[in-house]
Amino acid sequence: MASMEKPVIMKGTEDGTMAKLGAIGPMVQRARDAQAEWASWSLEKRKSSLIRARDLLLERREDIADLISRETGKPSLEAVGTDILTSLVAADHSARSMRKLFATRQVRFENMGLMMWYMGRRSYVQSRPLGVIGIIVPWNYPLAIPFSQTVMALAAGNAVIVKPSPETPLTSMAMQRLFDDAGLPKPLVQTFMGGDDHGRALVASGVDRIVFTGSSEAGKQVMTLAAQRLTPVTLELGGKDPCVILEDADLERAAEGVAWGAFVNAGQTCTCVKRAYVHERVHDRFLELLRARVSALRLGAGEDADIGPLFNEAALRSMEEMVSEAVRDGGTVLAGGKRPEGLSGLFYEPTIIAGAPQSSRAVREEAFGPILTVNSFSSDDEAVRLANDSPYALSGSVWSRDIERARRIAERMSGGTVLVNNVSYTYGLPMTPWGGRGMSGFGRTHGAEGFAELMEPHHVHIDKGRFPREVWWHPYRMENMAGGSGLLDLLYGRSLVTRLRAMLKLRKVLKGR
Ligand code: NAD
């Protein structure tokens, strides 16, 4: 575990960040103290605290869903179905995983096994907590993302400092209260409330890992800053998810799924479907079905709405720009493409653009809003090529009644997660890994792979000291290593006789005779 050091002063760091560095240092120190106490608790006691946090969330679900809905504009059903449900499952999964996380693994020495046993040697590996994890999160899932990452970090034995989005302070405070009230040692979970400067200060603070979720541009800055003190980073960044609709797909289900996957959270989800590639034989029929679904979506606020507003005016303007560019590039707007009439606020109609070329910004760049492009393909190879032709690689989907064929395509598609006949929802299955590559970042949160990033493997090798010396210790004698009947013959000699002869000779050497 890294010891508490003075924060590194970085060239080019803004003044605001420097001021925040003063505040974060003591928080990291307090986190280290709380982590030491947490680590001293029994596994059972730690586990029941996480379960208590889960139960408190269940009790407070309506109030918290209401806060999420008010702060982000998403319909309250989405707040329950995505943020609350994901967090409950994550708490439960984390608590259940604890025993396995801390289990000791004996190392097998393969063809050296017998020799190592004779020499009285063994190796084992234990995973231990990294120490303090800095978690920086965006506004769009203000509970699901920080809560799931926090409970996993805690289950792995760490303390956590969360830097939430400045746009969702109330949800962040409600989350902090869940952990405070669950009876964890204080302050095992701390909230570092503020803007991007606070994020930079946390990255520079000397925590033991930064788990960053946000835009690709900010992710690059985080990596640059973290490199100053070699703080490891996990980067969960933007996406431009493709879906591939094969000609034998259940088109009704696919249209329904894509309408949800493209427009959930008003298209402001990293794994929203952004690019649909449809087999030419079913292209028109699929679009007909999709348009029917999309035209039935209700924009607004409250329980009756399917799609809420965009997050800010800038997002709204960027949708307008992207749509007009796509039209200039040759695309056709089949649905939406404008602010809705008679509805004030930051709403933008769910938009389908057909035929925009692969090179168009609408197809290449992340559009954090309700825009879906649709293009056709004529063969499986072409579908894979188009789907993979993107700087992003976070998630994707394939739709077909032929599961084997869909599976083969899914395995060839880039992206950390590819779903067959479903879309986007596996963030809500925190036992499965989450993450991407390229402009979508690297590393994983969730799943066994996510836990592994929150811990360090610690290898202990034990030699009972049965023999006074090693064949590779001084004074060097090449014949003991690589000469006839040396160590290499013992391990890899072609015949049993060669290996036995080497064993007898080396036994003498080891005994110092
Ligand atoms: P953002 O990058 O503007 O901000 C995210 C968080 O990072 C905020 O807390 C912000 O204050 C902080 N931050 C910004 N610049 C920073 C810096 N240089 N150093 C440290 N911290 C910094 O993102 P946003 O607009 O809040 O969220 C939308 C983005 O997040 C989209 O690109 C979306 O795809 C991505 N996202 C990714 C995932 C995923 O799992 N891959 C999930 C949700 C959202």
Side-chain angles (χ1 to χ4, degrees):
M1 253 168 265
S3 60
M4 180 57 202
E5 298 160 44
K6 276 177 75 180
V8 174
I9 308 296
M10 267 136 311
K11 263 197 200 151
T13 307
E14 290 164 26
D15 288 352
T17 305
M18 301 310 300
K20 310 302 177 304
L21 280 169
I24 191 70
M27 286 179 81
V28 176
Q29 187 53 58
R30 286 197 296 275
R32 292 204 185 286
D33 296 343
Q35 192 275 333
E37 189 186 341
W38 180 236
S40 73
W41 286 17
S42 73
L43 212 58
E44 281 313 311
K45 193 171 166 193
R46 279 185 271 163
K47 205 169 151 179
S48 10
S49 320
L50 297 189
I51 296 293
R52 246 191 327 276
R54 181 201 67 186
D55 292 345
L56 286 172
L57 173 58
L58 190 65
E59 262 172 55
R60 299 174 190 177
R61 62 185 181 269
E62 280 179 24
D63 291 346
I64 296 181
D66 188 49
L67 284 180
I68 296 171
S69 188
R70 277 196 281 144
E71 288 194 315
T72 62
K74 69 176 78 174
S76 43
L77 186 136
E78 271 182 19
V80 175
T82 56
D83 282 280
I84 304 276
L85 181 58
T86 299
S87 303
L88 291 171
V89 181
D92 204 55
H93 172 63
S94 299
R96 282 169 193 270
S97 304
M98 285 172 78
R99 191 157 295 285
K100 204 164 152 197
L101 291 180
F102 291 99
T104 299
R105 177 171 64 84
Q106 297 295 330
V107 176
R108 290 179 180 277
F109 291 117
E110 300 169 358
N111 71 330
M112 293 184 193
L114 189 62
M115 181 183 87
M116 294 301 250
W117 170 80
Y118 172 70
M119 295 168 103
R121 295 168 193 196
R122 70 188 172 91
S123 274
Y124 64 89
V125 181
Q126 282 177 318
S127 291
R128 55 185 190 186
L130 284 180
V132 180
I133 308 294
I135 294 177
I136 301 175
V137 293
W139 64 268
N140 64 340
Y141 289 92
L143 187 76
I145 295 175
F147 189 96
S148 66
Q149 293 177 355
T150 298
V151 278
M152 288 187 68
L154 297 177
N158 300 288
V160 169
I161 301 177
V162 182
K163 208 301 281 174
S165 164
E167 314 285 353
T168 56
L170 300 178
T171 308
S172 313
M173 279 157 61
M175 177 176 127
Q176 175 72 59
R177 276 196 296 275
L178 290 173
F179 290 110
D180 288 347
D181 297 350
L184 307 169
K186 286 209 174 73
L188 192 67
V189 178
Q190 299 176 79
T191 304
F192 191 39
M193 198 75 87
D196 301 356
D197 277 340
H198 286 71
R200 281 187 275 269
L202 182 55
V203 175
S205 67
V207 292
D208 302 300
R209 175 176 284 275
I210 288 290
V211 180
F212 175 84
T213 308
S215 58
S216 305
E217 280 314 306
K220 288 182 203 169
Q221 293 170 18
V222 166
M223 193 167 166
T224 306
L225 198 51
Q228 307 292 312
R229 55 194 317 162
L230 295 180
T231 301
V233 290
T234 302
L235 298 179
E236 297 287 3
L237 310 178
K240 192 76 180 172
D241 283 8
C243 76
V244 171
I245 315 284
L246 299 176
E247 72 278 19
D248 60 356
D250 174 345
L251 293 182
E252 304 263 348
R253 180 179 164 79
E256 196 112 29
V258 171
W260 181 78
F263 303 120
V264 60
N265 208 18
Q268 302 165 109
T269 301
C270 51
T271 53
C272 268
V273 182
K274 294 292 176 190
R275 301 176 288 141
Y277 297 106
V278 189
H279 194 281
E280 58 188 10
R281 264 195 264 148
V282 294
H283 178 264
D284 294 352
R285 174 73 186 133
F286 175 76
L287 274 180
E288 203 180 300
L289 291 167
L290 184 64
R291 282 173 75 179
R293 295 292 179 292
V294 169
S295 65
L297 295 173
R298 300 157 304 174
L299 277 80
E303 302 235 325
D304 293 334
D306 299 312
I307 300 188
L310 289 184
F311 198 61
N312 53 30
E313 186 66 34
L316 200 55
R317 275 200 303 275
S318 91
M319 294 306 105
E320 288 172 333
E321 282 166 19
M322 208 171 248
V323 170
S324 31
E325 266 184 54
V327 171
R328 274 205 304 276
D329 292 342
T332 310
V333 176
L334 296 185
K338 56 182 174 47
R339 302 180 188 214
E341 280 151 28
L343 189 61
S344 62
L346 298 172
F347 292 97
Y348 195 77
E349 288 185 0
T351 299
I352 306 172
I353 301 172
Q358 264 319 87
S359 57
S360 178
R361 213 158 64 82
V363 181
R364 295 210 76 73
E365 281 184 21
E366 181 175 46
F368 217 51
I371 297 180
L372 170 73
T373 62
V374 184
N375 284 290
S376 64
F377 65 85
S378 56
S379 69
D380 291 5
D381 283 350
E382 188 186 11
V384 172
R385 185 179 59 71
L386 290 169
N388 290 351
D389 177 22
S390 173
Y392 296 94
L394 189 55
S395 161
S397 61
V398 192
W399 301 74
S400 169
R401 285 195 172 88
D402 181 343
I403 301 296
E404 265 313 294
R405 179 179 169 207
R407 192 183 59 74
R408 281 196 300 275
I409 291 178
E411 288 182 4
R412 292 171 64 198
M413 279 168 66
S414 56
T417 298
V418 181
L419 296 87
V420 171
N421 293 326
N422 214 317
V423 63
S424 189
Y425 85 106
T426 64
Y427 197 86
L429 301 175
M431 49 295 283
T432 63
W434 186 265
R437 62 183 294 175
M439 293 292 278
S440 295
F442 56 80
R444 295 294 181 267
T445 54
H446 294 186
E449 296 77 3
F451 276 124
E453 296 199 18
L454 300 165
M455 305 182 88
E456 65 168 348
H458 185 59
H459 168 209
V460 177
H461 182 78
I462 294 175
D463 184 337
K464 289 184 178 165
R466 279 194 185 145
F467 298 99
R469 63 181 314 272
E470 291 285 2
V471 292
W472 53 82
W473 285 0
H474 297 136
Y476 287 155
R477 302 280 301 271
M478 185 56 92
E479 72 262 27
N480 294 340
M481 290 293 288
S485 302
L487 180 63
L488 303 194
D489 273 345
L490 171 64
L491 293 176
Y492 301 107
R494 292 246 169 117
S495 71
L496 185 62
V497 176
T498 310
R499 291 201 296 275
L500 278 174
R501 210 178 279 141
M503 196 179 84
L504 291 172
K505 174 179 163 197
L506 289 174
R507 197 162 154 261
K508 281 190 196 159
V509 176
L510 288 171
K511 287 187 167 177
R513 283 190 244 139

